[in-house]
């Protein structure tokens, strides 16, 4: 057994103090992460008292993964804004889409008469098709608003800027719902 000298006691006291401070800081970081997650959950739209909507944690397919492997294939990002009519009487603020000219002749009659409403848009931000960032805009019937999902940030879109924000440059994938 070691003799308890004043130097040994001081060394062990210093070691214990450093260990205690490390443990305290880890605990505070853990509490901070829990607080941030709780605030993020509270900011999400909840609908009719059900569980909160959760952000999908997966990755959308990249523009260039398949094409990059083919010799001579060139991918170019097309920059264009989607033009769509506003309709103040529609809950979403946008007119319904008439897609009859998109269906082939001989399509069933109900398909030809169908109208669709836009319910979500995925935007790609970035200079090339091989890199960038994705943002989702989603309509919520429960809240009667468009929501912007950008990583951990969820914000409600302003009603007076729906066309520019939801359908602006970078619209990559449109989600339509049949009426």
């Amino acid at each position: 057994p070691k003799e308890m000298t004043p130097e040994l006691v001081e060394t062990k006291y210093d070691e214990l103090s450093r260990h205690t401070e490390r443990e305290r800081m880890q605990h505070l970081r853990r509490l901070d992460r829990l607080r941030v997650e709780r605030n993020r959950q509270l900011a999400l739209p909840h609908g009719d008292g059900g569980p909160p909507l959760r952000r999908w944690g997966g990755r959308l397919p990249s523009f260039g993964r398949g094409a990059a492997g083919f010799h001579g294939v060139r991918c170019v990002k097309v920059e264009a804004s989607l033009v769509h009519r506003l309709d103040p009487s529609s809950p979403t603020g946008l007119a319904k889409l008439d897609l009859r000219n998109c269906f082939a002749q001989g399509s069933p009659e109900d398909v030809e008469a169908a109208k669709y409403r836009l319910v979500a848009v995925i935007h790609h931000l970035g200079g090339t098709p091989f890199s960038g960032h994705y943002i989702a805009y989603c309509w919520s019937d429960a809240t009667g608003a468009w929501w912007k999902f950008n990583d951990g940030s969820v914000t409600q879109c302003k009603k007076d800027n729906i066309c520019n924000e939801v359908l602006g440059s970078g619209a990559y994938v449109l989600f339509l719902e049949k009426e």
Side-chain angles (χ1 to χ4, degrees):
K2 288 190 176 184
E3 187 178 323
M4 294 298 284
T5 64
E7 294 84 22
L8 181 62
V9 169
E10 187 175 334
T11 302
K12 293 299 180 185
Y13 178 80
D14 288 344
E15 287 176 9
L16 184 59
S17 295
R18 284 192 302 273
H19 174 75
T20 303
E21 183 61 19
R22 276 194 310 270
E23 289 293 317
R24 188 177 80 78
M25 292 307 292
Q26 279 182 342
H27 177 69
L28 291 174
R29 282 192 293 273
R30 196 170 26 251
L31 289 176
D32 190 51
R33 282 193 301 271
L34 289 171
R35 180 189 57 78
V36 168
E37 176 61 19
R38 187 171 43 253
N39 288 341
R40 188 183 76 77
Q41 286 291 329
L42 290 172
L44 291 172
H46 288 265
D48 297 322
L53 301 175
R54 294 194 53 90
R55 179 175 66 92
W56 178 54
R59 294 183 68 185
L60 291 173
S62 171
F63 280 100
R65 291 211 179 153
F70 295 106
H71 177 70
V73 174
R74 194 179 119 195
C75 289
V76 178
K77 182 175 178 180
V78 177
E79 288 288 343
S81 293
L82 181 63
V83 178
H84 192 55
R85 273 188 315 111
L86 290 174
D87 181 2
S89 66
S90 169
T92 64
L94 301 170
K96 291 179 178 47
L97 297 167
D98 183 353
L99 300 179
R100 283 182 286 193
N101 61 345
C102 297
F103 293 109
Q105 281 187 327
S107 294
E109 202 171 296
D110 62 327
V111 170
E112 290 183 16
K115 297 261 183 162
Y116 294 81
R117 73 178 185 143
L118 185 66
V119 292
V121 179
I122 296 175
H123 280 244
H124 173 259
L125 307 174
T128 72
F130 301 104
S131 66
H133 178 70
Y134 293 97
I135 296 175
Y137 292 90
C138 302
W139 170 256
S140 168
D141 283 325
T143 61
W146 282 94
W147 292 87
K148 177 182 179 180
F149 294 82
N150 185 0
D151 287 339
S153 167
V154 179
T155 55
Q156 188 173 350
C157 300
K158 295 179 181 168
K159 290 186 182 225
D160 59 348
N161 199 25
I162 295 297
C163 265
N164 291 336
E165 194 167 358
V166 174
L167 299 173
S169 179
Y172 173 56
V173 178
L174 306 178
F175 294 86
L176 305 174
E177 182 177 78
K178 187 176 178 181
E179 286 286 309

